Amino acid sequence: MQHVVSQEWLFEHGTDDQVVIVDCRFILGNPEAGRKAYAADHIPGAFYLDLEQDLSGPKDVHGGRHPLPDPDQLAVKLGQIGIDRNTLVIAYDDQGGAMASRLWWLLTYLGHDRVSLLDGGYTRWKEAGYPVTDEPPVEHPTVFKPQLRPELVLSMEQVKERIGRPGTVLIDSRESRRYEGIEETIDPVAGHIPGAKQRFWKDSLDSAGLWKSEAEQAERFSDLREAQEVVVYCGSGVTACPNIIALQQAGIKNVKLYAGSWSDWVSYKENPVATGRE
């Protein structure tokens, strides 16, 4: 299954029986914006899933800002919008693929591999003159049966055990200033998990905002070819997901998500914090 599909492909296949399109637009700090944008216009037939209402669980003392949702509750929502084992899901957003990648990862975690992102996102689709609508989609409910892959996700304790472990590489997906501890605009502590390498998630995209080729991703992660295990995190487990897609494109296996990410890590006061480059 290819990780990314073109506008042309979606225009030709968006109405196929087994295709379900999901709009994942969401702006951090403005939680109503994505749903309002969807109500104004969206790709015909697309359903809306909200990062915080649908693709995350409730916040607690630990677990980070966007904990993973309850798998059974998410499965019910997926079934309601017509996703089952046979469905090909196409996800899009207007955030460089960050939110759509979260849905991609969650579906993969629930055992569903038939999911791709729309290259370039919604604005590019609209600018190219492809159809948009404000009409709600027609629901064809089905039953989604999750088959969890717990090996794809790590807890804080499991990440802590891996610091300094030969063969394991930690990847921090945030921008340099947050990784280096120069500034922290969201979480209470600045810096990164000791030993982590910084790979900004937006480097998955080219200068035009399109996904880089498999060869380009392989070049970007060329120093990780010998890694036995790659653990990816970000601020809250969302923008790590584009990097996970890019690592898969690069042919790197055994990639895991630290779902709680930095916001979970710093909720434990005793956890070590590093600053500067590594």
Side-chain angles (χ1 to χ4, degrees):
M1 186 64 225
Q2 61 194 104
H3 296 90
V4 178
V5 299
S6 67
Q7 296 175 350
E8 294 82 4
W9 187 96
L10 185 59
F11 180 66
E12 289 173 17
H13 296 281
T15 56
D16 290 1
D17 284 348
Q18 297 294 349
V19 171
V20 170
I21 306 170
V22 182
D23 186 315
C24 301
R25 283 177 285 172
F26 188 90
I27 298 176
L28 293 170
N30 187 1
E32 297 301 313
R35 194 177 292 277
K36 286 178 180 174
Y38 170 82
D41 53 54
H42 50 264
I43 294 175
F47 293 86
Y48 185 74
L49 289 179
D50 184 284
L51 172 66
E52 293 184 347
Q53 302 299 319
D54 303 312
L55 306 181
S56 303
K59 283 193 286 190
D60 208 338
V61 177
H62 302 298
R65 284 182 277 110
H66 295 108
L68 296 183
D70 177 89
D72 293 322
Q73 290 179 2
L74 178 57
V76 169
K77 291 176 181 178
L78 295 171
Q80 285 171 345
I81 64 172
I83 298 173
D84 61 22
R85 287 273 147 232
N86 301 312
T87 307
L88 170 56
V89 181
I90 307 298
Y92 71 86
D93 59 33
D94 242 350
Q95 285 69 48
M99 313 303 161
S101 295
R102 167 76 163 209
L103 175 60
W104 175 93
W105 186 89
L106 284 169
L107 282 164
T108 305
Y109 175 59
L110 295 183
H112 189 79
D113 290 319
R114 300 196 47 165
V115 53
S116 299
L117 307 190
L118 172 64
D119 203 8
Y122 184 69
T123 295
R124 189 177 291 268
W125 168 276
K126 195 172 170 178
E127 286 173 351
Y130 288 108
V132 300
T133 184
D134 60 0
E135 292 287 319
V138 178
E139 293 187 8
H140 299 285
T142 182
V143 176
F144 182 93
K145 295 179 179 174
Q147 295 177 305
L148 275 192
R149 292 166 167 158
E151 70 276 8
L152 295 183
V153 66
L154 294 180
S155 67
M156 186 281 291
E157 292 82 2
Q158 290 170 315
V159 173
K160 206 169 186 178
E161 288 167 4
R162 283 163 166 76
I163 293 177
R165 180 188 288 185
T168 293
V169 179
L170 281 176
I171 295 292
D172 187 312
S173 304
R174 299 170 302 159
E175 59 267 41
S176 296
R177 291 180 67 82
R178 291 180 69 197
Y179 165 83
E180 291 178 29
I182 296 169
E183 65 177 5
E184 180 51 66
T185 54
I186 306 171
D187 296 308
V189 180
H192 59 267
I193 299 173
K197 297 171 179 266
Q198 188 249 349
R199 295 296 161 84
F200 188 29
W201 72 271
K202 282 191 176 174
D203 292 338
S204 304
L205 309 173
D206 65 18
S207 58
L210 299 171
W211 276 84
K212 289 180 177 175
S213 67
E214 292 182 359
E216 288 169 316
Q217 305 290 16
E219 177 63 29
R220 181 177 161 224
F221 294 114
S222 59
D223 59 327
L224 304 184
R225 286 197 191 111
E226 303 305 314
Q228 295 163 16
E229 175 186 59
V230 178
V231 179
V232 189
Y233 74 93
C234 56
S236 66
V238 177
T239 58
C241 297
N243 263 346
I244 293 176
I245 294 177
L247 284 158
Q248 284 204 7
Q249 286 182 303
I252 292 169
K253 311 293 184 202
N254 200 17
V255 179
K256 298 175 180 176
L257 174 68
Y258 171 24
S261 285
W262 184 247
S263 53
D264 176 54
W265 184 261
V266 298
S267 71
Y268 298 89
K269 300 287 187 273
E270 70 277 10
N271 276 351
V273 168
T275 55
R277 300 299 302 175
E278 299 222 21

